[in-house]
Amino acid sequence: GAVVSQHPSWVICKSGTSVKIECRSLDFQATTMFWYRQFPKQSLMLMATSNEGSKATYEQGVEKDKFLINHASLTLSTLTVTSAHPEDSSFYICSARGLGNTEAFFGQGTRLTVV
Amino acid sequence: KNQVEQSPQSLIILEGKNCTLQCNYTVSPFSNLRWYKQDTGRGPVSLTIMTFSENTKSNGRYTATLDADTKQSSLHITASQLSDSASYICVVRGGGGADGLTFGKGTHLIIQP
């Protein structure tokens, strides 16, 4: 199957700082990438959808100014958590989908801890 | 409302034993159903994918079933191993949404030696 790589796997940051998470498609061109957040023992919750070269579309209740998404190339999307607070601590997962493909492939996730 | 309900929430079994996880869904229209394995601190990895016309699909010790009439699926794990300890998530494609997916909360499976 297609490979999607997320970096870093885990990160600890101080409250008030910003953190950037990368999502790369290694062996295909990802025209669409999805960003999810997962709290312990909960479902993956879709945060936003990014299409290469255009602005991300955010789900209801997700602050676009807090969770900045950039999808500048067909193999890379980034999620920046700005002015992070302890309540932003969560597991963030991306998935990537190629043109004409209905199936998306998940990255390995990033554990964010804000202290 | 599109929903995916999984049971049990958690399960503990001894190594070598079999187990069956359940998934009920109300997603419409239905495209396909996937079972994922998610190790702690990792992203989901696909185990099986089933379309409307498929009743059973196997992947090694994992066997998934689908009853499209009753909108139920199960994942049977045979001869469990310690490495099977993980969350198993049922995901249904269809019913709209930006990603077209409805996720279950997962069953947390613990295999004890």
Side-chain angles (χ1 to χ4, degrees):
Chain A
V3 179
V4 176
S5 176
Q6 227 176 298
H7 178 81
S9 297
W10 59 270
V11 58
I12 301 173
C13 72
K14 291 184 177 180
S15 187
T17 61
S18 296
V19 174
K20 180 184 286 188
I21 302 170
E22 293 186 347
C23 180
R24 293 180 184 274
S25 57
L26 298 185
D27 53 0
F28 69 102
Q29 293 185 324
T31 51
T32 305
M33 288 189 174
F34 303 98
W35 287 95
Y36 299 86
R37 182 166 50 186
Q38 185 181 30
F39 292 107
K41 296 187 179 181
Q42 297 296 313
S43 308
L44 276 71
M45 297 298 298
L46 182 65
M47 299 174 65
T49 302
S50 73
N51 292 296
E52 186 266 337
S54 59
K55 290 184 178 180
T57 303
Y58 291 81
E59 295 298 301
Q60 192 172 8
V62 178
E63 300 174 58
K64 63 179 181 181
D65 295 329
K66 181 169 185 61
F67 299 99
L68 301 179
I69 292 173
N70 184 285
H71 191 166
S73 79
L74 284 171
T75 59
L76 174 65
S77 176
T78 61
L79 167 67
T80 301
V81 182
T82 63
S83 186
H85 291 280
E87 56 265 31
D88 298 324
S89 298
S90 187
F91 194 60
Y92 292 86
I93 305 174
C94 72
S95 72
R97 186 174 71 191
L99 182 65
N101 206 329
T102 58
E103 296 303 327
F105 300 90
F106 289 96
Q108 65 266 50
T110 297
R111 169 71 60 193
L112 171 63
T113 303
V114 184
V115 297
Chain B
K1 182 180 178 183
N2 294 314
Q3 285 186 315
V4 174
E5 300 288 341
Q6 290 188 243
S7 63
Q9 280 190 326
S10 60
L11 180 63
I12 301 174
I13 63 172
L14 293 175
E15 185 180 10
K17 299 296 186 181
N18 304 333
C19 66
T20 300
L21 314 180
Q22 301 290 342
C23 172
N24 297 339
Y25 62 93
T26 57
V27 178
S28 181
F30 174 87
S31 179
N32 62 49
L33 183 150
R34 278 186 191 263
W35 282 94
Y36 286 88
K37 179 185 180 188
Q38 185 178 21
D39 292 313
T40 301
R42 306 289 292 178
V45 175
S46 180
L47 295 175
T48 63
I49 177 172
M50 302 184 72
T51 58
F52 186 87
S53 59
E54 296 175 300
N55 298 121
T56 304
K57 184 167 283 188
S58 292
N59 176 4
R61 295 180 295 104
Y62 301 105
T63 299
T65 66
L66 175 65
D67 185 334
D69 291 330
T70 61
K71 298 187 177 181
Q72 296 179 325
S73 177
S74 67
L75 180 69
H76 185 76
I77 304 175
T78 304
S80 61
Q81 300 176 357
L82 296 178
S83 59
D84 292 332
S85 295
S87 286
Y88 291 84
I89 304 173
C90 176
V91 183
V92 179
R93 173 172 294 282
D99 60 351
L101 301 176
T102 305
F103 291 82
K105 290 185 177 181
T107 292
H108 186 51
L109 176 64
I110 297 174
I111 310 298
Q112 288 187 337

